[in-house]
Amino acid sequence: MPYPATRNPWRYLRDADVVHAAVVMLFAVLLSAGLVWLGYIAHVWRIARRTPTTRPGRWVVLVFGRQLAGNHPEADYRARLGRALALVRAGQARRLLLLGGHSGGDRSEAQAGLVWLQRHGLPADAPVELEQESTDSLENLRHARGLLQGGDRAELLPPVALLTSRYHLARCLLLARRLGFDAHPLAAEATLPRTPRYLARLLMEATYLMWIDLGVRWARLIGHRRMAARIS
């Protein structure tokens, strides 16, 4: 059965607003001799290093999905799910939202995450919901907002904990706060990994964050309402 939405980052290059933001980002990097990018790298690194794995209280926890490997969660996603399971067992998750649509397999990322949790001892009465329509982090959060508000944009959003890999936290936090969440990051990994693969992901996330942030700031500066409204 074909699915209408799958994870494909290259599709954004057909979007004029996204390309516009990319041009702004490149000019900013060139004019600053790379200092702007270094600032975003430092910001992503700081959040990745300092974010805790638990927070006092009971939270609505948003667990970000990741592209599956053969219909099953890959290593980063398993780390997120393992942390979510620990929060449930500790009584710190009053509501768990698994986020993620189809990324090429027969299951959505959210479905695969639920199956993994159930196989690893998720309590039968755990309050878990699935968000299966999204294909990226922004859509994850938009659909999660809809679930939490029940379709009523006037309803106040509860504080949420954003649970994801350390390299991914800064971008999710920026997007969530732009969408009106009272958002607090939670890290999947106990400590920040220092492997070449992980460092490469941090650099990529700094680039994504810079792209989004500078694009929105520029749109507001020039009064480009449609472009500024992309994250709202």
Side-chain angles (χ1 to χ4, degrees):
M1 174 181 177
Y3 298 100
T6 58
R7 216 179 264 277
N8 178 16
W10 298 110
R11 66 191 170 101
Y12 297 112
L13 296 180
R14 299 192 295 269
D15 187 312
D17 291 339
V18 173
V19 174
H20 186 165
V23 172
V24 170
M25 177 188 71
L26 289 173
F27 268 106
V29 171
L30 291 172
L31 291 174
S32 69
L35 291 178
V36 168
W37 188 43
L38 290 176
Y40 281 95
I41 292 171
H43 176 67
V44 170
W45 175 273
R46 183 169 57 252
I47 290 178
R49 183 171 60 86
R50 294 181 179 178
T51 295
T53 56
T54 62
R55 290 184 179 275
R58 301 183 71 239
W59 291 86
V60 174
V61 182
L62 310 186
V63 185
F64 287 81
R66 188 158 158 74
Q67 186 163 0
L68 303 178
N71 281 327
H72 301 287
E74 48 73 74
D76 289 351
Y77 192 14
R78 292 197 302 271
R80 301 171 193 182
L81 294 167
R83 182 65 59 194
L85 186 58
L87 293 172
V88 170
R89 288 171 172 168
Q92 292 182 295
R94 66 182 178 89
R95 189 174 178 184
L96 202 64
L97 269 66
L98 302 181
L99 312 179
H102 288 86
S103 52
D106 297 329
R107 293 173 175 165
S108 70
E109 294 168 11
Q111 286 173 322
L114 178 60
V115 170
W116 189 96
L117 288 170
Q118 290 170 336
R119 288 177 176 172
H120 289 81
L122 180 72
D125 60 350
V128 181
E129 294 178 68
L130 307 185
E131 181 285 300
Q132 305 180 78
E133 303 301 319
S134 57
T135 59
D136 57 40
S137 299
L138 178 57
E139 288 186 358
N140 285 157
L141 289 162
R142 279 196 181 125
H143 291 304
R145 183 175 63 181
L147 288 173
L148 292 174
Q149 291 180 321
D152 182 1
R153 290 289 296 272
E155 185 176 338
L156 186 66
L157 283 166
V160 298
L162 309 178
L163 175 53
T164 189
S165 306
R166 288 182 180 272
Y167 61 79
H168 192 216
L169 285 166
R171 178 158 56 110
C172 291
L173 192 60
L174 173 75
L175 293 172
R177 289 177 175 172
R178 286 263 170 85
L179 290 175
F181 284 94
D182 177 11
H184 305 266
L186 277 180
E189 307 92 343
T191 59
L192 177 63
R194 305 297 175 91
T195 63
R197 168 188 172 275
Y198 212 90
L199 293 176
R201 291 198 178 279
L202 285 169
L203 293 176
M204 184 61 71
E205 284 295 323
T207 304
Y208 286 146
L209 186 68
M210 178 173 58
W211 192 346
I212 294 166
D213 192 38
L214 292 183
V216 172
R217 289 174 186 271
W218 173 255
R220 289 175 175 172
L221 180 65
I222 65 173
H224 196 315
R225 293 183 179 179
R226 185 191 67 221
M227 188 173 169
R230 296 297 294 269
I231 304 177
S232 63

